[in-house]
Amino acid sequence: MARNAVKKASLVGEMGFIKGGGKVNWFPGHMASATRAIRDRLKLSDFVIEVRDARIPLSSKNDELQPLLAGKKRVVALNKKDLANPNIMHKWTRYFDSIKQDCLTINAHSRSSVQKLLDLVEYKMKEAIYKEPTLLVLVVGVPNVGKSALINSIHQIASSRFPVQEKRKRATVGPLPGVTQDIAGFKIAHQPSIYVLDTPGVLIPSIPDIETGLKLAAAGSVKDSVVGEERIAQYLLAVLNSRGTPLHWRRFMDAGSDRRLESVDDKPDYSLENLLPKRKRPPIIKSDVVYIEDVVTRVQGALCRTLMEFNGSLEDEGEFGDLIDQQFEALQKALKIPHKTSEARTMASKKFLTLFRMGKLGPFILDDVPDQ
């Protein structure tokens, strides 16, 4: 069994087999102009909703905007809470409380969750509501943290409150970062008039350290093609192993064939009920249908088995790298990707990343809570 399976995850980014591709930077042309526009609108805004990914509460902040945000009334909305580990999430809310920063965990696709956020915003703007006829709420965040999904949920709530308002344009929502490329305003309330501005997701021109960039890439805030799917998957595997996560999947180690594909004749039933005359049931025909639950089970079992059988040390960079290579081979088998395929490792990486981002491998938080 693997020794030292509790290596601190924050040291993973320093390993050579992770650092090999250098720093992660993605700052296309539209981000530069969008950043300037956001800065101008921040000066005029009365309140800011800073959306972050609950799986990376610190890594998903834009450091360049923080000095401007510090002087604003603001709430940090940790979105995608359904994908974040609830056993750790409460530690993060305590951390934000300790630094006197309003914070709320949300699911942008849940009406009740977004309603709680709006209630908090309205409470925090109570004084300004009585003083100003028009108020501006700015929604900011890095790419793919769910800003547009939040905007659309706010629209639905506003429509039920004010059905006579003009037809609203819905924000574009997509799984890829960089979908929103302009700044659009939406009226959500009358007397006073409150406008919510959705903004494009923008990163900083140079991400300070390798691991922060890889966390952003793992969460989907940086395009996969910029970093490379293999490198992102390599990093995630290193983090999971360093935390000993696969050891919690022991019950899946024997996962192999899909029970759904077995014929009724494979397991004869000699019960009394089976001897009574009855109409014939059509046999269950084996098919090539793949169920996501079966794929997840095979992947978890394969990763657990390789870590359990690993006799090296996770403290040794070379041996740790060998484990990652073994797990890539195990993933290819679990995902039924032919080994002779030239792009086999890339194909396995893409499918593994999809399972992680969908939350099928379980809820995770990649950032470590800072010492308070």
Side-chain angles (χ1 to χ4, degrees), residues 283-298:
I284 299 175
I285 301 175
K286 294 184 178 182
S287 78
D288 293 327
V289 175
V290 177
Y291 294 88
I292 186 71
E293 295 84 0
D294 299 320
V295 175
V296 172
T297 297
R298 291 200 303 267

Side-chain angles (χ1 to χ4, degrees), residues 3-4 7 15 17 310 312-323:
R3 301 192 303 275
N4 303 321
K7 184 179 180 68
M15 294 190 157
F17 64 87
F310 177 59
S313 170
L314 298 185
E315 299 294 334
D316 184 283
E317 187 173 319
E319 293 180 356
F320 200 172
D322 291 340
L323 170 63

Side-chain angles (χ1 to χ4, degrees), residues 83-336:
L83 301 178
N85 189 338
N87 297 324
I88 302 175
M89 199 71 256
H90 71 280
K91 295 180 181 179
W92 277 101
T93 54
R94 283 208 305 265
Y95 163 73
F96 282 105
D97 285 342
S98 72
I99 62 173
K100 310 300 181 184
Q101 172 59 61
D102 291 316
C103 169
L104 193 66
T105 59
I106 68 166
N107 178 350
H109 296 285
S110 166
R111 184 186 179 100
S112 60
S113 183
V114 175
Q115 182 62 62
K116 288 180 181 178
L117 175 63
L118 292 180
D119 290 343
L120 177 60
V121 171
E122 189 172 350
Y123 174 77
K124 292 295 178 180
M125 296 181 69
K126 188 185 300 183
E127 292 183 8
I129 284 176
Y130 291 111
K131 295 178 182 178
E132 301 292 339
T134 303
L135 298 171
L136 182 63
V137 177
L138 200 64
V139 180
V140 300
V142 302
N144 210 28
V145 289
K147 298 181 305 302
S148 295
L150 174 61
I151 287 289
N152 286 334
S153 292
I154 291 175
H155 285 177
Q156 292 174 8
I157 293 172
S159 297
S160 61
R161 289 181 178 177
F162 309 102
V164 297
Q165 287 191 78
E166 68 280 1
K167 185 178 180 181
R168 298 172 189 79
K169 171 188 173 186
R170 289 176 61 84
T172 304
V173 178
L176 299 176
V179 171
T180 305
Q181 295 192 6
D182 59 354
I183 296 180
F186 307 95
K187 190 173 184 178
I188 64 166
H190 293 299
Q191 300 179 346
S193 294
I194 300 179
Y195 289 85
V196 172
L197 290 190
D198 185 20
T199 62
V202 292
L203 294 166
I204 58 177
S206 179
I207 299 172
D209 63 273
I210 289 175
E211 190 159 14
T212 296
L214 288 170
K215 288 176 182 177
L216 286 165
S221 292
V222 175
K223 281 187 176 179
D224 288 349
S225 58
V226 174
V227 186
E229 290 89 352
E230 290 183 42
R231 191 181 177 204
I232 304 170
Q234 188 181 48
Y235 170 71
L236 278 177
L237 287 172
V239 171
L240 294 181
N241 289 318
S242 69
R243 295 178 175 181
T245 302
L247 300 179
H248 298 291
W249 298 333
R250 287 185 179 88
R251 64 187 183 278
F252 302 129
M253 282 181 63
D254 296 327
S257 60
D258 187 350
R259 296 188 188 90
R260 292 184 180 88
L261 306 184
E262 296 176 355
S263 166
V264 291
D265 295 327
D266 292 341
K267 294 182 180 179
D269 185 359
Y270 297 109
S271 65
L272 180 62
E273 182 184 1
N274 203 39
L275 299 177
L276 298 176
K278 56 187 176 183
R279 287 184 299 176
K280 272 191 173 182
R281 291 182 297 172
I284 299 175
I285 301 175
K286 294 184 178 182
S287 78
D288 293 327
V289 175
V290 177
Y291 294 88
I292 186 71
E293 295 84 0
D294 299 320
V295 175
V296 172
T297 297
R298 291 200 303 267
V299 166
Q300 291 176 321
L303 295 181
C304 180
R305 187 180 303 107
T306 49
L307 184 57
M308 290 281 288
E309 295 174 354
F310 177 59
N311 293 318
S313 170
L314 298 185
E315 299 294 334
D316 184 283
E317 187 173 319
E319 293 180 356
F320 200 172
D322 291 340
L323 170 63
I324 301 298
D325 288 336
Q326 293 170 22
Q327 290 185 322
F328 266 111
E329 291 184 12
L331 280 176
Q332 286 173 216
K333 291 180 182 177
L335 295 168
K336 299 184 178 180

Side-chain angles (χ1 to χ4, degrees), residues 345-358:
R345 190 151 164 158
T346 300
M347 292 169 63
S349 299
K350 288 180 178 180
K351 292 185 178 182
F352 176 65
L353 289 175
T354 298
L355 293 178
F356 171 79
R357 290 166 178 166
M358 291 173 64

